[in-house]
Structures are given as C-alpha cells and as structure tokens.
Amino acid sequence: MEYTHLSEFDIRSGALSMWKPELAADTWQPDDRPLTSVHVGYCASVDPADPRPGRGRWIGTVFEMDAPLDGSSWRETLRRWHARHEGLRTTVTTASAGEPRRLVAAPTAVDITEQPVAGLTDGTRINEFLCGTLEERLSPLVWPHCLTATVEHPDTGDFTVLVAADHSVMDAYSQAILILELRTLYREVTAGEPSRESVTFGSAADFAVLERASAADLALDSPAVATWREFLADGAMPRFASHAQRPANAELPQPSVSRRLLDLAELEQVEATLDQVRHRMSVAVFAALAVANRQQFGADRMRTVMPIATRPDLRWMESMGWFVNVVPVDIAVTPGLGITDAMDQARAALRRSRTANDASWSRVLELLGVAETPRFGISFLDIRVLPGYELVADLRGRTLRAESYSPDEVFLWVVRAADGLYVSTRYPAGFPAEVMDEFLTAFGHALSSITAAVPTPDEGHEVPAATEPQPSVTTETPADARALRTDTLRVAVQAG
C-alpha cells in the first residue's frame, strides 16, 4: 500500500458524489473529557480565518469497492460508521478562554446527505476538484472533520471510494483499516444484516483522558524528558541535509517520490539474512538510511524522529482516531562503519527511543522550552500485518497525505509490501531532485549489501544468540482478532 498524494492516484471516470455527515440543530453536547496534548497544539496552529484550512493537513484513503454502488445502502453504511466511532461525531469549541473544549453528538444524531456533482465525470478533473474541495472544507475547528466521495463506474459495476479527514480525527492506522471496515459494513447493509459489534471500537476521547493524565505526570527529571533533552542538545530539531537545500518559492508544493528499492526475491534474501543475526527489518531500514546519510552527506549521526503507536489497549484496536506519539532516534555512524555495525547502532538507538514511547512529545517539548516541531521523520510499515492486506491491494487501496508546502520538512515512509520494499518521500521544493535520487539509491544499495556483509552459519561463524528487542514503532497493528501488536507497523504521522 503506497502512501501518496491523491493527485498521483488515477481515478477512473464516472459519476461523482460527495457524502456529507449532518446533524440536527442543538445536537452537540459538552464533554468533559480533554483533547490530547497534541490535539490542543494542533488546533492552536490553525487560523480560523484561513480559507483553505485543509491545505497541507488532511489525510485519507482511496480504494475501489468491488460491488455496484447502491446509494441508499452506501448512505446507511456511512451512517453506521459514524454511529460506531465517537471520534467521527466529535468536534471542538473555542468559544471560551483556554484550550479548546470537546463536543460530542449521540450515535443516532448523525445523518448522511448525498451531494451529486453534476457535469464532472472525467477522472483527471474529478481528482483536481477533490484536491481543492478537501483543502477548503477540512479543518480541526469545523465539523464535519471527515468527508467521503464516490465515483460510480456503471460500465464495470463498481465504484471508487475516497475518505478524507482532518488529521485530528484519523491516524495512519485508521487510514489503513477503514478500507476493509467500510467494505464489510457495506456488505452487511446490502445483505440486510446487523453490523458487527465489538469492544475494539473504543472512543478516542477515552484515550485522551489517559494521555493527558500521563502527560501531567511528566517532569524535568523524567527519563523520557532526559532522552529528548540529549537528542536536542544542540538546541534545534534535526534537519535532513540542510546544506543541500536551495532557496525556493514558498508557494511551491513539496515534490514527492515513490520507488521500489528491492523486488520480492531481493527482499526475501535480505530478510533471511536478518533472521540469522536476530535483527528486524525495521533495524535494517534505519541502519541503511544512516549509512546512506553518511555516504552522501558526510554526517556522522543520523538524528530523526519516528512516529509510534499509542493504542495501549485492545479496546482501541479498531478505532478511528489520532493515536500517535513521536520519539527521537539518534544513530551514530562513524567513517568506515559497515552495515553490520550500523545495524547494531540502529538497534541500540531504537531501544533508547523506547524510554519516550509513553511520554507525550508535545508536553516534553513544552517542559524543555522547545517551540519547534519535528522537521525530519522516518517511518516503517510492514503491510503484511494489516488484516486482509492481499485484498487491499486488489482494491487498489492507497493511503493519502495532503500536499505539503513546508520549506524545510523531509519525511520518509518505507513500506514492506507484498511484492517488495518501497520508499516514499516528500521534501522541500528547494532540495535538488538529483540529490534525493542519489540518497535513495544509496539507501537501496546499503540494504542490498546486508546479504553479502553478514556471514552465514555454514561459513563457520557463530550466530548471535541474543534476541532482537522490540523496537519503537509508528503505529499499532492487530496480530489477530484477539491481540494487539506494536512492533511492526510503522506509518508516519502527517506533521504538515
């Protein structure tokens, strides 16, 4: 599953409709549960008068439903989805002083209205229309925070689905699992069946209560604060190869690049080698990036942030919401360090980052007096941990991020897909494309070198007996219907 822009997804031509959640007047009820620390800061970063509040902020998912579109059934599907997830019928009010307050609507209060878009059937024009509409209509301050579009394809008997949301009500794991959830709900509705009930659809507002309590317990002498303090010892968030950037028009969108680094055969060779030395693929990815960073830019350290999972209990396994923290990763790569030693360094760095797993990064930065937000981030995803990942590929499922206009942010998403290893990145318009191309090539070469660099047991070398520690991860993933794993799915938080 690629993490890409909507503009890079080929929408087939058809009949376009927008599906808008609606509420009756006086439906909102004040709710005493707080917003998460990051949600409060996120709302404060938005100008209420901005005519395009979704610009650079919205996230979403697009896929093709393998069934004909029945309008009434799809309307009921979306109604059930909003009734199930409290986060989709939650908003904020900024009417009083202090931080925004939570408002919640009852499960039965939401209705769905279809808004056909007449005269727009060409796929390219539909794409352009949707990109503009989402920038205008999605905001953390104005409900609805989630919009859906369908493009009906009568000739093939199916339809394209776009779900787009402000980041405050959806994270990357939510983006990934909603495909099969909506498909299942639609099938239940068309078959006249009741929706599946589960304790795993917990409210993101209940999680916020725990997050704020944990954040309040942080102090300057907390281990997580010490980890961040060391990471920020030079007083600034790390940048990616800032010396290579050139001045550029601030209105230019960031370029985006996606490519396959290893085909399946090459990837499986690397994974077999990693099994011998008890390293996970995530360790290899971070080590190879650090080696490439050293080779291309002469940096003896790769400092970056990594989004991690914060769904601490099964009740949030299938929730729609924003369950994300950020931790610092600092990997030392001295001149001449080979990939095997780099993996040891990456493993140690990922272990150190775990001290910050449960500490709200925004609260930590507040304690340290740091106003700057992360500018360089890396995420890793093994798509095979997603339930039904083979079907998601058949449905052309893609997770989406809005185009960014940041002059200095660089983010990398590395995906272990069913057919190989992929990397996607966005970077400033002033960063030379050829420099990024050389860096990604060096990253791929460093990964490929693992197979030759690690001796095999039959060559008479002892295989390390230590088991690989569980590394920090970007988001949660279910190992099966009864368990929650937090060790493999790593998807980036959209920071801008």
Side-chain angles (χ1 to χ4, degrees):
M1 180 186 293
E2 284 188 71
Y3 195 49
T4 186
H5 294 152
L6 177 59
S7 60
E8 296 168 342
F9 182 85
D10 180 21
I11 297 178
R12 292 186 287 133
S13 297
L16 172 65
S17 286
M18 302 296 296
W19 302 80
K20 183 184 177 183
E22 293 190 342
L23 292 169
D26 302 322
T27 300
W28 293 114
Q29 296 298 317
D31 193 293
D32 290 335
R33 290 170 295 179
L35 307 180
T36 60
S37 305
V38 69
H39 194 168
V40 172
Y42 180 67
C43 288
S45 71
V46 178
D47 179 0
D50 188 346
R52 290 183 174 268
R55 188 175 186 261
R57 289 188 175 91
W58 71 268
I59 62 175
T61 301
V62 65
F63 66 99
E64 295 181 348
M65 187 75 78
D66 53 343
L69 175 61
D70 177 82
S72 60
S73 295
W74 182 246
R75 176 171 172 265
E76 173 63 10
T77 295
L78 294 178
R79 190 201 65 76
R80 291 188 186 188
W81 192 50
H82 281 75
R84 171 183 286 174
H85 295 292
E86 188 178 45
L88 298 180
R89 42 188 173 82
T90 295
T91 192
V92 300
T93 176
T94 57
S96 57
E99 69 177 55
R101 305 298 299 175
R102 185 184 298 274
L103 300 175
V104 175
T108 55
V110 180
D111 197 6
I112 306 295
T113 300
E114 180 183 7
Q115 300 174 334
V117 182
L120 192 61
T121 59
D122 176 72
T124 300
R125 291 186 59 212
I126 288 174
N127 198 310
E128 294 171 351
F129 170 84
L130 290 173
C131 288
T133 298
L134 301 179
E135 287 192 353
E136 294 171 356
R137 294 173 60 179
L138 289 176
S139 164
L141 305 180
V142 180
W143 194 87
H145 306 298
C146 181
L147 296 171
T148 305
T150 57
V151 181
E152 184 178 9
H153 312 296
D155 54 335
T156 53
D158 56 3
F159 61 104
T160 297
V161 177
L162 168 67
V163 179
D166 179 75
H167 204 341
S168 60
V169 299
M170 190 172 291
D171 61 15
Y173 182 61
S174 304
Q175 287 177 271
I177 64 173
L178 71 81
I179 296 176
L180 293 186
E181 182 183 8
L182 288 177
R183 181 178 183 269
T184 299
L185 277 171
Y186 188 60
R187 285 173 173 255
E188 290 169 346
V189 171
T190 55
E193 300 172 353
S195 299
R196 174 176 65 93
E197 299 293 335
S198 175
V199 297
T200 58
F201 298 124
S203 171
D206 292 336
F207 164 75
V209 173
L210 299 182
E211 191 274 344
R212 289 299 290 271
S214 176
D217 288 339
L218 289 171
L220 286 172
D221 59 353
S222 298
V225 178
T227 298
W228 273 101
R229 183 186 294 113
E230 180 182 356
F231 181 73
L232 298 170
D234 64 356
M237 283 288 177
R239 262 68 170 173
F240 176 82
S242 56
H243 62 280
Q245 297 192 29
R246 303 166 183 165
N249 186 335
E251 293 302 310
L252 290 175
Q254 287 196 330
S256 176
V257 175
S258 296
R259 66 169 63 171
R260 186 166 72 171
L261 291 174
L262 303 175
D263 63 27
L264 185 59
E266 294 168 329
L267 177 57
E268 288 179 339
Q269 284 185 332
V270 171
E271 289 173 331
T273 303
L274 294 174
D275 287 343
Q276 296 173 19
V277 291
R278 309 296 196 270
H279 278 314
R280 297 181 187 270
M281 192 68 205
S282 54
V283 170
V285 164
F286 275 81
L289 284 167
V291 168
N293 195 49
R294 171 71 200 182
Q295 291 174 347
Q296 298 303 117
F297 307 118
D300 58 5
R301 293 166 64 196
M302 187 182 76
R303 294 192 305 140
T304 185
V305 301
M306 178 176 66
I308 68 163
T310 52
R311 300 187 186 216
D313 189 88
L314 274 174
R315 61 181 143 156
W316 294 295
M317 185 176 72
E318 297 182 273
S319 297
M320 292 293 114
W322 196 10
F323 302 84
V324 177
N325 196 22
V326 175
V327 298
V329 178
D330 187 347
I331 305 173
V333 188
T334 55
L337 193 75
I339 188 63
T340 53
D341 291 332
M343 286 194 292
D344 292 337
Q345 295 284 3
R347 181 188 182 205
L350 291 172
R351 170 175 281 184
R352 285 194 303 272
S353 74
R354 293 171 62 189
T355 61
N357 275 7
D358 300 321
S360 164
W361 68 272
S362 57
R363 175 57 181 156
V364 170
L365 297 187
E366 181 182 339
L367 286 170
L368 293 175
V370 177
E372 190 179 22
T373 55
R375 322 309 292 168
F376 174 36
I378 298 172
S379 293
F380 174 75
L381 159 68
D382 188 334
I383 197 174
R384 296 170 302 170
V385 301
L386 290 175
Y389 74 92
E390 300 99 333
L391 179 57
V392 168
D394 292 340
L395 299 177
R396 293 187 68 208
R398 302 287 190 278
T399 50
L400 305 173
R401 61 184 190 272
E403 289 190 344
S404 174
Y405 297 82
S406 170
D408 59 356
E409 289 179 358
V410 175
F411 278 81
L412 294 157
W413 297 269
V414 184
V415 178
R416 199 300 185 190
D419 62 342
L421 191 77
Y422 290 79
V423 62
S424 297
T425 182
R426 64 172 176 85
Y427 56 92
F431 195 93
E434 63 273 14
V435 176
M436 180 57 73
D437 177 74
E438 291 169 359
F439 171 76
L440 296 180
T441 299
F443 171 36
H445 288 163
L447 281 170
S448 299
S449 72
I450 292 173
T451 304
V454 176
T456 58
D458 58 8
E459 291 175 337
H461 297 276
E462 182 179 357
V463 176
T467 58
E468 171 65 22
Q470 182 175 332
S472 301
V473 298
T474 53
T475 191
E476 71 303 321
T477 181
D480 53 44
R482 297 290 179 184
L484 188 68
R485 293 175 59 191
T486 57
D487 65 333
T488 50
L489 184 59
R490 196 168 291 165
V491 189
V493 179
Q494 183 69 26

